[in-house]
Amino acid sequence: PWNVYLECLDDTLADKAAAIMEEICKNDNYGYSQPNRWAGYNAIINNGRKVAGGKGDFDCSSLVLACYILAGLSIAASGYTGNMKSILLATGKFKAYTDAAHTGSSAYAKRGGIYLKESSHVVMALSKGSKASGTASGASQSTATASGNKNYVGKGIGSATAKSNMNVRTGSSTASGSIGGVTKGASVEVLEILANGWYKIVWPGASCGYAYTSNAGGQYYTYVANGATAGNASLKPVGAKSFAKGIAGAYKTTTNLNMRTHPGVLKSENIITEIPKGATVRNYGYYTMVEGVKWLYIAYDGKEGFSSSEYLKKS
């Protein structure tokens, strides 16, 4: 009955989404409802993005989409079976298959893969099929190195470490041709951070000496600016004092910005991480006012803490 199979090209993202799906399905506090189809997702968000302790309903499409959003995919909390294919393909993180081999059996299923009947139903695969490939389609296993590239080596503004296997392209969009890849855990030298979140990087395989890779939404690389410390990701922030639904949403950093454990306390020891200029962070309505400045409680790169709203622009 399925008319399309959507494969996530980011194995790490897909596995996180599948793990969240499993956790929700095992929790009796979550049920099914079409009129209240986003209540379960909202309950998890209001519970600090934790499944345990929340309660609410989903329908099939809101559940699948919510799992990917909670795993880190940068899409709005909306959509249904009729438009979710276009929503997911627009992220550049999915590939659609409509052939009978993929839609007619689970043999090619990958964990986190999505079986969709656009008129009525959708499910997520939680295990790997017998014929599924070992890595995400299109993800290269070559490692980026800067050796031999004398024109650009050492001229970067920082470095970035890949969280999963990533494509390297001739331009700053998924429509640009792939010329190689960066393996999970490999580091690249960043020459420039573009407005759309993509990195211009040192790349010896390109005739121009540089190429591009995506860090849209800050999901795919951990970035450290030259001369900056990575912070202390083990630090835990204090709680926010206020909530306003109207401020919730995605924000762009207007400069390299520190995330801190305490709002308004400008000490090096309370820096959790440095967020690069142009990165996307999320706020869920929580903040604390300090001397007339609104410090937003934000989420970025798997970390949470406070950053000044003076350097954040709502997307």
Side-chain angles (χ1 to χ4, degrees), residues 95-120:
K95 182 175 181 178
Y97 294 88
T98 57
D99 59 288
H102 283 85
T103 61
S105 78
S106 61
Y108 291 93
K110 295 184 68 175
R111 182 168 166 81
I114 298 170
Y115 286 93
L116 175 64
K117 185 175 183 179
E118 292 175 277
S119 62
S120 58

Side-chain angles (χ1 to χ4, degrees), residues 294-311:
K294 186 177 290 180
W295 286 75
L296 300 184
Y297 189 93
I298 61 172
Y300 171 76
D301 194 25
K303 307 173 186 70
E304 296 181 350
F306 290 92
S307 290
S308 171
S309 63
E310 294 182 326
Y311 306 104

Side-chain angles (χ1 to χ4, degrees), residues 130-156:
S130 60
K131 297 182 180 180
S133 60
T135 58
S137 299
S140 169
Q141 293 298 305
S142 61
T143 301
T145 64
S147 59
N149 193 332
K150 297 180 181 179
N151 291 331
Y152 294 95
V153 170
K155 297 181 180 179

Side-chain angles (χ1 to χ4, degrees), residues 41 44-51 69-72 284 299 304:
Y41 169 78
I44 293 170
I45 293 299
N46 293 332
N47 191 41
R49 301 177 74 84
K50 297 179 177 65
V51 173
I69 296 170
L70 293 167
Y284 298 96
E304 296 181 350

